[in-house]
Amino acid sequence: MIPDSATSFSPQNQISLRTIRPIAAAAIHGISFRGNELLAIDSTNGYLLQIDPRTDETKILNPQHWLEFRDAKGLAISGDTLWFTKYESVYFTSLNGEITPQHFVTLPYEANGVAVLDKTIYVTCEQYGSILIFSQETGREITRLYAPGIGIENITVKGEELWICDATEQTVYCLDRATGKLLFSVLTPFENPTGLAFYPHPETGEEILYVSYAFSEPYIRDNPNADPNHELQYRDRTFVHPLYFHYNREKHYALSNGYLVEMSYVEEISPLEDIELKALEWRIALPAETDRQKVKKIEFVGLPFTEEVEDGQRVAVFKFDTLSSQDRLIFGWKALLEVWSIKYQVTPGDCEYPPELSPNYQERYLVDDDDLAMDSPIIIDAAQEAVGTETNLLRKMYSIRNYVYDRLSYGIKPYIDTPDVALERGVGSCGEYLGILLALSRLNGIACRTVGRYKCPAQPHLRGLPLEPDFNHVWMEFYVPGIGWLPMESNPDDISEGGPYPTRFFMGLAWYHAEMAKGVSFEKLISQGVPVDKEKVSIGELAINHVSFTILAELKP
């Protein structure tokens, strides 16, 4: 049986370090460790906080100078000197005695993060898209490096590496300090990372990377003066959490914080119309084993099933002699999964001269096998326009994604239109984004397939409670010969009108994605050996699905 709690299933890689929640903090932007104490800037209140990471005990170090720190962002410590950014300027102050900020340099645009190594000052600037490097002695810019993300970034130095977190990209980057070359990147388990710092563990000596987060959280407030008394409100949430990661250079990917999750998918037979299906097979895809998802256990719910493998995908097969509108049944599966965030580290240079796509993959993944309207003039023209003269496979895929994002806005409908209709309309659900992406990619010779099917609600602090997703979800994988299948989200990175668009889910997935139905239907009916016509018998009119996730523990990769 699948255990009910993390206490009955204790994986070797379970995380033991705690989340740091500073008392009275509203929005932490910038952190640094000084010995065993964490220093943090609360940008909203202007507090320079000293925090005990073991107890959350919090002290304000600038009780008379909090106005000077309001709206501050970056934070760094070098010896007894503290550095921070505010608006377009960089400041420093001694930590011995009274906190009195002094001006160092002013940029043409807003300064975001700051890091210090010896006499060198590193400053990130979103509008420059660069890391600016200054001499502490002269205050002059020495050089600048390309910044990898598109959002507000904070920075710290570790040996010969620069580490950067990007709030929009939900990503931490590791760069070579001398050249700015990207070594690898990892997704953070929470959105909107705002600061980062390494902490030498006092017992093991291991350097643990901590990341701060700040965002507004929706909640239901009980207001006795309102009618009705329950109303939607927002509140500040900020905390500091360890980021664990593992870079697998040989396989081109990096994993970060994962979770032990129990997932169940159950159908409740409740037909809307009279129906009778004989010799019925009800097929439901099972969770897949991937680089970022491990299946620890699967069991049936309600009725036993047999298992088959369809094109490499495990499928649960429930069999009924007869299923009629008079029947009331529940059946499905429950799985125990280990899921991590993953970011593949593949560059255009890795895809310059890929091996030829095998004939089998050409027949399966370059054809119109799902109403993709690949013979429509609208789609044919779009496929040509999306890539232009580009020949590199990875750049072509990136261009196709951006082309679709430029022309589509997200919206949900009760049914999915074909790609030509959705593209002309300019509004689409995740399934319609996906259809267009598949059609344009295949017409450009890029093998790709549908993947899904659900996302766990991204609330890892709610342990041991059943969490129900509001919708199902689909994304895609594209194939690079010689490297393998790489994931790409359908629509979540389309967050701004006209871009630029983040690349967090271009060759990456967050921990909350549950992978199944790779290139096959997630759910289908076969009666008397023949697939049931969806137009005549819809699964949605036959049954009510119940999907639930329970987060049991946090894991190291």
Side-chain angles (χ1 to χ4, degrees):
M1 297 293 289
I2 291 180
D4 293 326
S5 68
T7 58
S8 55
F9 186 92
S10 299
Q12 296 285 329
N13 52 356
Q14 185 169 337
I15 286 177
S16 58
L17 290 179
R18 64 191 298 274
T19 302
I20 304 169
R21 300 184 184 275
I23 299 169
I28 294 174
H29 288 266
I31 59 174
S32 186
F33 283 94
R34 191 187 192 205
N36 289 330
E37 300 292 334
L38 172 66
L39 269 63
I41 284 182
D42 181 348
S43 182
T44 298
N45 294 318
Y47 299 157
L48 175 61
L49 301 174
Q50 178 179 289
I51 307 148
D52 186 334
R54 298 164 299 178
T55 64
D56 295 343
E57 182 181 342
T58 307
K59 178 182 178 181
I60 298 174
L61 298 182
N62 60 335
Q64 278 78 47
H65 294 274
W66 55 273
L67 275 174
E68 289 98 315
F69 284 81
R70 181 177 281 178
D71 297 324
K73 292 293 192 295
L75 175 66
I77 297 174
S78 178
D80 293 325
T81 303
L82 180 143
W83 296 76
F84 68 96
T85 63
K86 179 175 178 177
Y87 305 138
E88 293 82 15
S89 297
V90 180
Y91 299 89
F92 65 94
T93 181
S94 173
L95 287 171
N96 293 328
E98 188 175 1
I99 304 294
T100 53
Q102 301 177 57
H103 178 265
F104 172 67
V105 70
T106 295
L107 310 181
Y109 305 109
E110 183 175 357
N112 303 138
V114 61
V116 181
L117 180 65
D118 299 327
K119 299 294 183 179
T120 305
I121 314 299
Y122 301 84
V123 182
T124 59
C125 177
E126 178 189 16
Q127 288 182 273
Y128 270 133
S130 301
I131 305 164
L132 284 65
I133 304 175
F134 293 89
S135 165
Q136 181 181 341
E137 295 176 336
T138 65
R140 293 183 178 178
E141 183 181 337
I142 302 170
T143 187
R144 64 181 63 179
L145 303 173
Y146 172 74
I150 66 167
I152 294 175
E153 297 180 332
N154 228 314
I155 186 171
T156 192
V157 183
K158 179 177 180 286
E160 297 303 313
E161 300 164 345
L162 295 176
W163 288 76
I164 292 174
C165 67
D166 188 295
T168 304
E169 297 277 5
Q170 196 180 331
T171 298
V172 167
Y173 303 91
C174 177
L175 310 180
D176 180 270
R177 183 167 63 84
T179 65
K181 179 183 177 182
L182 176 63
L183 302 178
F184 65 92
S185 61
V186 294
L187 292 170
T188 60
F190 306 94
E191 292 184 345
N192 206 46
T194 57
L196 72 173
F198 283 90
Y199 172 61
H201 196 286
E203 297 176 3
T204 66
E206 179 186 6
E207 287 196 284
I208 308 298
L209 177 59
Y210 276 85
V211 178
S212 61
Y213 302 87
F215 51 86
S216 293
E217 176 187 73
Y219 73 103
I220 302 300
R221 177 173 180 262
D222 186 357
N223 181 0
N225 297 319
D227 185 18
N229 61 309
H230 289 105
E231 56 189 18
L232 177 65
Q233 294 287 337
Y234 288 83
R235 58 192 171 197
D236 293 327
R237 280 289 178 262
T238 191
F239 54 86
V240 184
H241 192 78
L243 178 66
Y244 285 93
F245 55 88
H246 172 70
Y247 177 32
N248 189 324
R249 188 186 306 272
E250 187 176 322
K251 292 188 176 181
H252 305 281
Y253 66 76
L255 298 176
S256 51
N257 298 44
Y259 293 88
L260 180 67
V261 175
E262 180 185 272
M263 178 189 177
S264 62
Y265 185 90
V266 177
E267 290 286 8
E268 173 193 352
I269 298 298
S270 182
L272 296 177
E273 298 179 357
D274 288 340
I275 193 71
E276 183 176 84
L277 297 171
K278 295 183 178 180
L280 177 66
E281 287 188 3
W282 194 306
R283 304 172 67 89
I284 308 174
L286 293 167
E289 286 273 343
T290 71
D291 290 334
R292 57 160 294 275
Q293 178 172 286
K294 304 305 175 188
V295 181
K296 309 305 294 183
K297 192 177 292 187
I298 295 179
E299 64 181 11
F300 68 84
V301 175
L303 299 173
F305 62 80
T306 58
E307 185 177 317
E308 296 183 7
V309 176
E310 180 181 345
D311 291 336
Q313 166 70 58
R314 297 171 67 185
V315 177
V317 182
F318 298 87
K319 296 183 179 181
F320 305 87
D321 292 333
T322 302
L323 185 67
S324 75
S325 54
Q326 301 305 311
D327 293 317
R328 292 296 182 269
L329 302 166
I330 61 169
F331 60 93
W333 49 257
K334 185 188 293 185
L336 190 66
L337 309 174
E338 291 182 347
V339 287
W340 291 271
S341 294
I342 193 167
K343 186 68 178 178
Y344 285 89
Q345 317 294 314
V346 179
T347 68
D350 298 323
C351 309
E352 199 63 55
Y353 301 105
E356 186 177 353
L357 191 65
S358 70
N360 179 41
Y361 272 33
Q362 291 182 40
E363 293 172 4
R364 293 177 60 186
Y365 301 119
L366 294 183
V367 298
D368 187 343
D369 58 357
D370 193 20
D371 293 326
L372 298 179
M374 289 169 58
D375 58 353
S376 163
I378 292 175
I379 295 300
I380 293 172
D381 291 345
Q384 296 172 346
E385 185 180 352
V387 301
T389 59
E390 183 59 65
T391 58
N392 183 277
L393 188 153
L394 195 62
R395 290 196 184 99
K396 284 167 69 174
M397 192 69 253
Y398 184 66
S399 297
I400 290 169
R401 185 201 76 148
N402 290 352
Y403 177 89
V404 174
Y405 284 6
D406 283 343
R407 284 153 181 80
L408 238 58
S409 298
Y410 181 66
I412 296 179
K413 303 191 343 297
Y415 56 88
I416 294 178
D417 282 319
T418 55
D420 53 337
V421 174
L423 186 60
E424 193 168 28
R425 186 177 60 241
V427 177
S429 64
C430 65
E432 288 168 327
Y433 270 81
L434 178 66
I436 299 171
L437 289 167
L438 291 173
L440 303 192
S441 301
R442 291 181 176 187
L443 283 171
N444 278 289
I446 303 174
C448 51
R449 64 186 182 185
T450 300
V451 185
R453 175 75 171 183
Y454 287 94
K455 294 194 294 187
C456 173
Q459 298 174 299
H461 55 289
L462 297 180
R463 305 279 176 85
L465 299 175
L467 305 173
E468 298 179 0
D470 293 321
F471 312 102
N472 62 5
H473 186 62
V474 287
W475 55 97
M476 70 178 285
E477 290 180 336
F478 63 94
Y479 188 75
V480 179
I483 294 178
W485 290 101
L486 302 177
M488 188 179 81
E489 261 287 18
S490 50
N491 64 282
D493 276 340
D494 188 5
I495 63 173
S496 60
E497 190 69 31
Y501 307 110
T503 58
R504 54 184 176 163
F505 300 135
F506 183 76
M507 301 190 296
L509 289 177
W511 64 268
Y512 45 75
H513 290 80
E515 294 180 90
M516 59 201 74
K518 287 176 173 280
V520 303
S521 297
F522 172 66
E523 198 167 9
K524 63 182 177 182
L525 307 178
I526 297 177
S527 179
Q528 296 178 313
V530 179
V532 176
D533 188 343
K534 296 179 182 179
E535 299 296 324
K536 295 181 179 179
V537 181
S538 165
I539 291 177
E541 295 178 352
L542 265 181
I544 303 169
N545 65 350
H546 300 273
V547 187
S548 179
F549 292 86
T550 302
I551 301 170
L552 303 177
E554 190 170 9
L555 308 174
K556 294 181 185 179

